[in-house]
Amino acid sequence: WLIIFHIRVHPCSSVAGILSSILLLSSFIPQAYAEEITVPELYRQHCAECHGDNRLGGMGPALLPAVMRRLEPEQAVGVIAEGRPATQMPAYGDKLSTTEIQALVDYIFTPPATMPAWSESAIETTHRLLVPRDSLPVAPVHEADPLNMFVVVELGDHHASILDGDSFEVLKRVPTRYALHGGPKYSPDGRFVYFASRNGWIAKFDMYSLQYVAEVRAGINTRNLAVSADGRYVMVANYLPNSLVLLDARDLRLLRIFEVADDHGNGSRVSAVYDAPPRQSFIAALKDIPEVWEIRYADNPLPVYKGLMHDYRMEEGVIDRGPFPVRRIKLDDYLDDFFFDQSYTHLIGAARNASNGQVVHLDVGRKIAELELDGLPHLGSGITWEYQGRTVLATPHLKKGEVSIIDMENWKTIKRIKTEGPGFFMRSHENTPYAWVDVFFGPNRDKVHIIDKRSLEIVRTLRPEPGKTAAHIEFDRNGEHALLSIWDNEGAVIVYDAETLEEVRRLPMVKPSGKYNVHNKITRSAGTSH
Ligand code: DHE
């Protein structure tokens, strides 16, 4: 590997000292010294903490050519120098020289000596059934309302707190695998919760007895998981390998691996997978192939679409007509982030670099409209509500301080609400007139806006802890309280009265990220993510 000469300056050096150090490097004056560094060492110093020692991903994605198909090496230079908006990727332009950045790009675009694989047997070897079903209690071992509990993910030290949504007492705090990401998903009755970690571990946790019951490693670098509406299956979406992995929801045993590739065998990362209950199918959007995949899990192959019975397996685009038939819907752009209407007839999605969003009609299997969405909308946290007799979709944008309000009948943007910076998460509840949106990026990242759903105006801006990011809101079962994270290692979950907007409790937590209420999730409240 290329050896880079690093000029390291002693931290005590003055500006004049630094200049003289550079000029007089050849005479070896004491403040400065030249150091040889190999590119793998440079990677270890600056990248490995997030992207993994062997480039297989960690908190950040894997950095192998096979999972960077949409990124040109020249663009990667820009990402390293300037950072990547709406991710945790910082800018290194002031820490690394142009030569160092180019060397890192060459390094990450070099395929590894052996391509990492995660085969059926690898998955099976990691499987552990910790508590058999018949050893679990029939009723909760705690006094909390099982439908008003929350899971709070604490990213700072990789734990999850199980919270009573009435008393706001932490019932149990348990360690999780490294870097849980995305929404944990509940079984349809709310008894179990399934976690996915960025490094592929899937865990099943019992909300009655507050213990893990099974786990398995389904991938190397994972996006998220979905649970089928009938509670029988868990589907895992992976970046690495390019796959969807179907597990038995009872014990997380492997049922099937779907390799994700186009007609020519070119693989793709999966952007995310969701359950679509009325369709009895999983819907996955892909990152490197402009397609949406619909995988039916119902035993009955004759779904009713618009009152018409037809054999799903005979639909155009259906490959693999056996159990779990895969229907491929071809699009003209990729989907990085997406969202469904409440009926799961429409998928609303966007690519990171697109100037417009797209509406895909899942019954007819094609794009039917474009949306005016150009600020990298975070559609995954989009929510809907009724406004003047019609349903509207609200989504924050990761690249601009704005919330777009879209009429879901004609797909026109009816309002752009200016915010004090780009937001990540948005939430509401059927029983509150307010929608909450954070300001995740920029100098105002410690603020949260409250929008009146009736007037589409910001009516209050909270700043719960100056200087610390305030983000991600979730309501309790009845919409009486809103819980907000102070996203810091010395952070907290703050409980607000959802009507008066006054703080009622502050629960210390270690960088709490998402909070997930059992009732709101299993009833698929329009105000929360599904
Ligand atoms: Fe997330 C959900 C993708 C970065 C915290 N994020 C999701 C989901 C997707 C996604 C597809 C939906 C999963 C689900 O519901 O099953 N996230 C992405 C990205 O592509 C992005 C921008 C880059 C990346 O690093 O992958 C990204 N996400 C982040 C973060 O940097 C956040 C802030 C911190 C973290 O944990 O890494 C973050 N994402 C979250 C959270 C959710 C989430 C807390 C769940 C939201 C919910 O309420 O459902």
Side-chain angles (χ1 to χ4, degrees), residues 1-4 6 8 35-56 63 80 92 96 100 103-105 107-108:
W1 285 103
L2 176 66
I3 290 174
I4 293 175
H6 235 31
R8 280 287 167 82
E35 183 185 279
E36 285 179 8
I37 182 167
T38 62
V39 185
E41 182 50 32
L42 197 62
Y43 174 88
R44 263 191 296 281
Q45 276 180 17
H46 298 284
C47 321
E49 190 183 339
C50 290
H51 297 282
D53 286 339
N54 35 20
R55 297 192 277 149
L56 297 182
L63 294 178
I80 298 176
Y92 284 89
L96 298 173
E100 287 172 325
L104 277 174
V105 169
Y107 178 66
I108 63 177

Side-chain angles (χ1 to χ4, degrees), residues 107-373:
Y107 178 66
I108 63 177
F109 276 87
T110 305
T114 49
M115 191 52 200
W118 201 245
S119 62
E120 238 175 80
S121 62
I123 297 177
E124 278 161 358
T125 317
T126 61
H127 177 258
R128 288 196 306 153
L129 180 62
L130 304 164
V131 185
R133 177 81 215 212
D134 52 14
S135 309
L136 291 173
V138 288
V141 298
H142 50 76
E143 300 296 311
D145 169 2
L147 295 186
N148 195 25
M149 293 165 74
F150 289 81
V151 167
V152 183
V153 172
E154 292 181 68
L155 265 190
D157 62 353
H158 311 287
H159 276 69
S161 283
I162 313 298
L163 193 66
D164 178 333
D166 293 295
S167 67
F168 299 112
E169 296 303 323
V170 174
L171 299 172
K172 187 137 183 185
R173 189 169 189 267
V174 290
T176 65
R177 287 282 176 178
Y178 177 81
L180 294 192
H181 177 234
K185 300 289 158 70
Y186 293 102
S187 56
D189 58 1
R191 165 144 194 184
F192 298 101
V193 63
Y194 299 86
F195 297 115
S197 76
R198 285 198 187 251
N199 58 6
W201 284 96
I202 308 302
K204 178 175 179 177
F205 184 87
D206 180 20
M207 298 290 281
Y208 280 13
S209 60
L210 305 179
Q211 60 183 331
Y212 284 105
V213 293
E215 77 165 359
V216 67
R217 190 172 184 192
I220 298 174
N221 193 200
T222 291
R223 288 305 276 168
N224 79 325
L225 64 76
V227 177
S228 62
D230 59 14
R232 291 192 296 169
Y233 306 109
V234 171
M235 185 68 101
V236 182
N238 285 329
Y239 267 9
L240 193 70
N242 296 155
S243 63
L244 283 154
V245 175
L246 187 71
L247 306 172
D248 187 324
R250 288 172 300 186
D251 54 8
L252 298 184
R253 239 169 249 289
L254 175 65
L255 292 177
R256 180 156 166 194
I257 299 177
F258 298 82
E259 278 171 27
V260 178
D262 67 10
D263 297 330
H264 310 288
N266 301 310
S268 171
R269 294 165 295 168
V270 183
S271 300
V273 63
Y274 292 95
D275 175 52
R279 312 179 71 82
Q280 297 276 291
S281 56
F282 291 113
I283 311 263
L286 311 184
K287 256 194 176 327
D288 307 302
I289 308 174
E291 288 183 11
V292 169
W293 283 22
E294 176 168 21
I295 303 178
R296 254 179 80 76
Y297 51 74
D299 295 332
N300 174 2
L302 297 170
V304 181
Y305 288 156
K306 295 189 165 180
L308 293 173
M309 298 279 281
H310 65 257
D311 189 340
Y312 172 89
R313 290 170 304 175
M314 291 311 171
E315 282 266 328
E316 195 186 337
V318 174
I319 52 165
D320 188 343
R321 295 176 196 273
F324 310 108
V326 181
R327 174 182 175 218
R328 288 168 50 179
I329 300 173
K330 305 211 174 189
L331 304 174
D332 47 22
D333 200 357
Y334 306 105
L335 288 176
D336 291 314
D337 204 354
F338 60 110
F339 165 87
F340 299 92
D341 62 358
Q342 287 288 90
S343 72
Y344 289 84
T345 310
H346 297 99
L347 177 154
I348 299 103
R352 267 189 83 88
N353 48 359
S355 51
N356 278 329
Q358 45 183 321
V359 182
V360 179
H361 195 296
L362 290 169
D363 291 353
V364 297
R366 63 180 171 79
K367 178 172 94 178
I368 56 153
E370 285 203 350
L371 297 171
E372 247 183 279
L373 284 175

Side-chain angles (χ1 to χ4, degrees), residues 59 61 86-88 155 180-183 185 198 223-225 239 271-274 287 336-337 352 378 398 424-425 427 440 472 487 513-516 521 529-530:
M59 194 67 97
T87 70
Q88 313 283 320
L155 265 190
L180 294 192
H181 177 234
K185 300 289 158 70
R198 285 198 187 251
R223 288 305 276 168
N224 79 325
L225 64 76
Y239 267 9
S271 300
V273 63
Y274 292 95
K287 256 194 176 327
D336 291 314
D337 204 354
R352 267 189 83 88
H378 192 217
L398 300 173
F424 216 105
F425 301 108
R427 277 292 188 282
F440 199 84
H472 194 280
W487 203 286
S513 57
K515 300 159 293 298
Y516 309 89
K521 295 295 174 200
S529 60
H530 299 165

Side-chain angles (χ1 to χ4, degrees), residues 450-465:
I450 296 167
I451 296 168
D452 191 320
K453 295 191 283 186
R454 299 159 296 193
S455 62
L456 307 185
E457 300 288 345
I458 293 177
V459 290
R460 184 84 73 93
T461 296
L462 304 174
R463 199 170 175 225
E465 190 153 345

